[in-house]
Amino acid sequence: MEDKAHLLLNRLKWVSFYRVVIAFISLILLIYWKSKLDIIPESLYFIATLIFIFSVSIVYGFVISRIKTPFILIIVQLVIDILVISFVVISTGGVESPFIFFYVFVILEGGIFFSKKGAYLASFVNILVVGTIFLLQYYSVYPINKLLISRIIYSAYDLFYSFSILTLEFLVLGLLVGFLTSETKKILENLEESEARVYDLEYLKTAILTSINDGLIVFGEDSISYINEPAKNVFSKIGNTNNVDTFSRIFKDEVQIIKKEQKTLRFERAIPVDTGEVLWLNCALSPLMSHENKMIGVLLSFQDLTQVKMMEECLRINDKFAFIGKLSTVIAHEIRNPLASLKGSIEFLRENMVIDDENRKVFEIVTREIDRLNKFITDFLSYSRNIELNISKIYLKNLLQEIWYELMFSFENKEMFIFNYEGDDAVVINGDPNQIRQVFLNLFINSVQVIQSKKGSGSINVVAKETSDSVTITFEDDGGGIEEQYINKVFDPFFTTKNGGTGLGLAIVYKIMQEHGGKIIVTNGEKGAKFILRFFK
């Protein structure tokens, strides 16, 4: 009901506006021609009429702005319009008045305000009013103004003829206006329904796209035309989410395949991010088709598998931890104790027997191998044993420099290695000093050994970055990196590519980081392996 009243009010404003415009233009023209041709002595009569119409329209405009139910005002306006037009027609010759066509505006207003029924009713009222004016003119009830007519006496035939023509015109015009307003109303209603359906569909589409947790990206002909919020959130980890060229570059080859072959493509994609980690995405690319079955774009939907991949990796390594935990008990009892007996027996024989130089070398070899085996068991047990942590604050730069200084004393060609640190001198991490020392010592040893085996000399760079919730340490050497087939196995216990290696150094690093609630990942940098450690505050 309120919508209908609002619609009528808007129409009333427009009708009042064009009435003011028409009256104003007519008034200007009349004044102009009066000044040029002073042949209308009664022109002041018309000027007063136009001023009246102009004033009434202004009053309408003032009243319209202050009412909420315009129905009564519309009825009053139509009645006043009929009376004013009738007054002008009577004053300008009745049946021969040149202004009798003004009744057309009443029919138009009836159709505008009340659609088909309003146009029909206005036509009927016009016929009654004009018929009454003609009868009054025929019986000379009012004096005829000679201003704009050629004669003042009419026969019944003249009046009947004019009345018939006008009646036919009013009826045809009423039917036409009624039909047009009725069709216009239907069109507007259909348009409103269509707009409502479009709005509902748009709202439904928005609700669906908002509720979907999967990332969605639509590639158009030349650029990306749509990115939903989950996609923006995922790709915010890459660094520059505002640069859509980043997305186009990452999936350029796959998008071209879809555009060429028009088939769905599923794949997993590993994307390096600014923190040095890897973003794993499970992707599906599909062609977007129009209703004409023409491809209008490519839709990429994806799920972030990063956490799943990390959990799978943790479970895989933890399974090995569980097995090693059981194995360590057997090793400690069944191997280490006999080794101690063997070593003691060898030492006893060497001290109490007279042996030559060749046998002495054999004893030394046996003793050295027993020590090496014992060290392996010690490392293994320290790896498999749960250690109670004594957490304290550790100044990172001081610890790294101390470890590097001690380590270089064990190398004869220490001048062949360079250590660089980039970061704030005051960076502090929370951890067990002995365990964290073991982490960095193992990483240093691993890098030095790789550099020695591949190029003989090189450098190790450590970059520390601190945020409000974590400290990220990037440990990178220039030893050539890790083969892609091995990069997911470097933290596995007993996995090694070095001759004589135990495969426990990096496994111990991983375990210590896990016990500290931190994270460590490995990738290949520009010149060598890159280990990224994150300690949370």
Side-chain angles (χ1 to χ4, degrees):
M1 196 69 180
E2 291 182 0
D3 292 340
K4 186 176 181 180
H6 181 72
L7 180 62
L8 288 176
L9 192 61
N10 286 335
R11 292 177 178 178
L12 183 58
K13 290 178 181 178
W14 280 107
V15 169
S16 299
F17 174 74
Y18 82 69
R19 184 187 292 103
V20 170
V21 172
I22 293 174
F24 181 75
I25 293 174
S26 301
L27 184 62
I28 295 299
L29 290 175
L30 188 59
I31 293 173
Y32 172 79
W33 287 112
K34 174 175 171 52
S35 64
K36 295 293 183 181
L37 303 170
D38 196 11
I39 59 173
I40 309 179
E42 291 86 353
S43 59
L44 292 176
Y45 179 79
F46 296 105
I47 291 175
T49 302
L50 290 173
I51 290 175
F52 172 75
I53 296 172
F54 188 79
S55 301
V56 169
S57 297
I58 292 176
V59 172
Y60 282 158
F62 179 80
V63 174
I64 288 170
S65 62
R66 285 165 173 75
I67 63 172
K68 294 183 179 180
T69 53
F71 182 79
I72 297 178
L73 184 61
I74 291 173
I75 300 300
V76 171
Q77 179 174 300
L78 287 171
V79 171
I80 292 177
D81 286 347
I82 292 174
L83 293 177
V84 170
I85 293 171
S86 299
F87 178 74
V88 171
V89 169
I90 290 173
S91 302
T92 55
V95 68
E96 288 191 3
S97 172
F99 301 108
I100 202 165
F101 75 92
F102 279 169
Y103 283 110
V104 169
F105 292 108
V106 177
I107 298 175
L108 292 176
E109 289 178 14
I112 290 172
F113 291 129
F114 304 113
S115 190
K116 180 169 62 176
K117 293 181 180 179
Y120 294 165
L121 182 60
S123 298
F124 179 72
V125 171
N126 280 347
I127 292 172
L128 290 179
V129 171
V130 171
T132 301
I133 291 174
F134 284 5
L135 287 175
L136 294 175
Q137 185 177 0
Y138 177 73
Y139 289 107
S140 302
V141 174
Y142 61 88
I144 299 300
N145 194 317
K146 302 178 183 179
L147 182 62
L148 298 176
I149 61 175
S150 59
R151 55 180 178 161
I152 60 175
I153 299 175
Y154 299 93
S155 65
Y157 176 80
D158 292 333
L159 292 175
F160 180 76
Y161 174 77
S162 298
F163 178 72
S164 299
I165 296 299
L166 287 174
T167 299
L168 180 61
E169 290 175 354
F170 290 156
L171 289 175
V172 172
L173 182 62
L175 290 172
L176 180 61
V177 172
F179 173 77
L180 292 177
T181 54
S182 177
E183 291 301 310
T184 302
K185 183 179 179 181
K186 291 179 181 178
I187 292 173
L188 290 175
E189 289 175 351
N190 292 334
L191 182 60
E192 289 178 358
E193 291 179 1
S194 298
E195 288 178 348
R197 285 196 297 269
V198 170
Y199 177 80
D200 290 340
L201 289 174
E202 188 68 23
Y203 178 80
L204 180 61
K205 182 198 77 172
T206 303
I208 292 173
L209 293 178
T210 303
S211 61
I212 288 177
N213 292 325
D214 293 354
L216 296 176
I217 300 177
V218 177
F219 297 89
E221 288 294 329
D222 302 318
S223 62
I224 291 176
S225 57
Y226 176 78
I227 304 175
N228 71 345
E229 285 302 319
K232 292 179 181 178
N233 293 336
V234 170
F235 279 96
S236 64
K237 302 173 185 177
I238 295 177
N240 188 2
T241 55
N242 295 323
N243 187 3
V244 295
D245 292 338
T246 302
F247 309 134
S248 300
R249 174 178 53 79
I250 292 173
F251 300 102
K252 178 181 179 181
D253 295 337
E254 289 80 6
V255 170
Q256 292 303 320
I257 292 174
I258 298 300
K259 289 182 177 180
K260 183 178 180 180
E261 300 182 3
Q262 296 189 9
K263 65 180 183 179
T264 300
L265 183 64
R266 300 182 185 277
F267 57 94
E268 287 189 359
R269 173 60 52 83
I271 304 173
V273 299
D274 287 352
T275 59
E277 299 179 0
V278 175
L279 188 67
W280 282 94
L281 302 179
N282 182 25
C283 305
L285 274 168
S286 305
L288 279 178
M289 312 301 290
S290 69
H291 64 281
E292 298 175 347
N293 204 31
K294 293 182 179 179
M295 194 171 76
I296 57 176
V298 177
L299 173 65
L300 167 66
S301 62
F302 62 85
Q303 300 87 35
D304 185 1
L305 298 181
T306 306
Q307 294 298 325
V308 175
K309 290 288 185 180
M310 292 176 63
M311 290 176 63
E312 288 177 351
E313 182 67 12
C314 289
L315 288 173
R316 186 180 66 84
I317 296 177
N318 286 338
D319 286 342
K320 294 189 176 183
F321 286 167
F323 170 74
I324 290 170
K326 297 177 181 178
L327 184 61
S328 63
T329 304
V330 178
I331 289 177
H333 184 268
E334 300 295 337
I335 299 178
R336 195 172 196 182
N337 292 339
L339 277 179
S341 299
L342 284 173
K343 185 176 181 180
S345 300
I346 295 297
E347 292 291 343
F348 176 80
L349 291 175
R350 187 169 60 179
E351 292 175 1
N352 293 281
M353 289 179 61
V354 178
I355 54 177
D356 55 20
D357 292 338
E358 185 175 352
N359 289 332
R360 184 176 293 106
K361 291 180 181 179
V362 173
F363 275 102
E364 289 175 357
I365 292 172
V366 172
T367 303
R368 186 174 65 248
E369 291 301 311
I370 290 174
D371 289 338
R372 191 172 71 85
L373 186 56
N374 194 53
K375 182 181 181 302
F376 169 77
I377 294 173
T378 301
D379 290 343
F380 178 77
L381 293 176
S382 66
Y383 170 73
S384 61
R385 188 184 302 120
N386 290 325
I387 302 172
E388 184 177 350
L389 302 177
N390 296 314
I391 304 297
S392 62
K393 293 185 180 297
I394 304 170
Y395 284 90
L396 178 64
K397 183 178 180 181
N398 294 342
L399 177 63
L400 292 173
Q401 290 178 336
E402 181 181 327
I403 295 172
W404 180 254
Y405 182 77
E406 295 173 357
L407 183 62
M408 284 299 98
F409 271 101
S410 63
F411 289 93
E412 295 179 358
N413 54 346
K414 57 184 177 182
E415 67 279 355
M416 305 295 290
F417 302 98
I418 300 174
F419 164 57
N420 296 314
Y421 173 81
E422 297 179 22
D424 194 339
D425 293 352
V427 173
V428 173
I429 57 177
N430 296 318
D432 186 303
N434 293 327
Q435 298 298 310
I436 299 302
R437 172 182 288 271
Q438 186 69 42
V439 167
F440 291 116
L441 178 61
N442 287 2
L443 290 176
F444 273 127
I445 292 174
N446 181 74
S447 294
V448 169
Q449 291 175 346
V450 169
I451 292 172
Q452 278 183 324
S453 64
K454 292 188 177 181
K455 52 189 292 190
S457 64
S459 62
I460 300 172
N461 299 312
V462 178
V463 179
K465 294 182 179 179
E466 187 173 11
T467 63
S468 59
D469 62 345
S470 66
V471 175
T472 301
I473 303 166
T474 304
F475 201 100
E476 185 174 6
D477 61 51
D478 58 358
I482 305 169
E483 294 184 35
E484 289 297 327
Q485 58 182 326
Y486 299 139
I487 202 163
N488 291 328
K489 300 179 180 180
V490 295
F491 296 123
D492 290 358
F494 311 117
F495 173 80
T496 181
T497 58
K498 303 173 187 175
N499 294 327
T502 63
L504 286 174
L506 293 179
I508 291 174
V509 169
Y510 186 91
K511 185 173 185 292
I512 293 173
M513 289 299 298
Q514 192 178 51
E515 289 176 344
H516 280 76
K519 292 182 179 180
I520 181 170
I521 60 172
V522 59
T523 62
N524 279 321
E526 295 181 0
K527 298 181 179 180
K530 180 191 292 186
F531 292 87
I532 301 168
L533 300 82
R534 180 173 293 178
F535 293 88
F536 296 97
K537 296 182 178 179

